[in-house]
Amino acid sequence: HVQLVESGGGSVQAGGSLSISCVASGDASSSYCMGWFRRVAGKEREAVASICRPGPITSYADSVKGRFTISQDNAKNTLTLQMNNLKPEDTAMYYCAGTRFLLLSANRLRPSQYTYWGPGTQVTVS
């Protein structure tokens, strides 16, 4: 059983940077793919980025390409999302997620493909 806990959210001005992290406990080494997703109240959850083994292979939503970077430290069971040039539309609750399944490239940014989730961390850009 894998548990995920996010941290590092907060408030930042537009154009600024923020890094959020997710620490995995339990059988974290069995995760083939990890991802970041976000949701604004009243809207559907959307993908931000994912990182999958082998490789690792990273994928990004078009809205964050060139601004966000996902990375993983397997030794520390930590997933990180570095967010640069933040925009007000990046304001959302950010969730870390993982799956033990090896996902096809078409599925790596689909929330439905991920089986365990953290409680989320709020990012506000003004």
Side-chain angles (χ1 to χ4, degrees):
H1 181 64
V2 179
Q3 292 183 319
L4 305 175
V5 179
E6 304 91 340
S7 63
S11 297
V12 63
Q13 290 188 336
S17 298
L18 196 65
S19 179
I20 56 177
S21 297
C22 170
V23 176
S25 61
D27 190 16
S29 63
S30 64
S31 298
Y32 272 103
C33 285
M34 298 291 294
W36 286 101
F37 299 83
R38 64 188 184 187
R39 182 167 59 191
V40 176
K43 294 187 177 181
E44 295 288 325
R45 184 166 44 191
E46 64 176 10
V48 177
S50 69
I51 185 166
C52 298
R53 292 186 289 162
I57 302 169
T58 57
S59 303
Y60 294 92
D62 288 342
S63 59
V64 305
K65 280 181 181 176
R67 300 188 298 122
F68 291 11
T69 302
I70 187 171
S71 61
Q72 190 171 25
D73 185 336
N74 293 321
K76 297 181 179 180
N77 289 333
T78 300
L79 183 73
T80 300
L81 184 69
Q82 176 65 41
M83 303 180 288
N84 299 327
N85 190 22
L86 282 160
K87 304 176 181 180
E89 51 264 43
D90 294 319
T91 295
M93 183 71 79
Y94 283 71
Y95 299 90
C96 169
T99 178
R100 292 190 176 88
F101 297 101
L102 183 60
L103 302 178
L104 297 174
S105 59
N107 291 331
R108 288 170 189 156
L109 292 178
R110 292 184 177 176
S112 61
Q113 300 299 306
Y114 289 77
T115 53
Y116 36 92
W117 293 80
T121 187
Q122 177 68 36
V123 173
T124 302
V125 185
S126 60

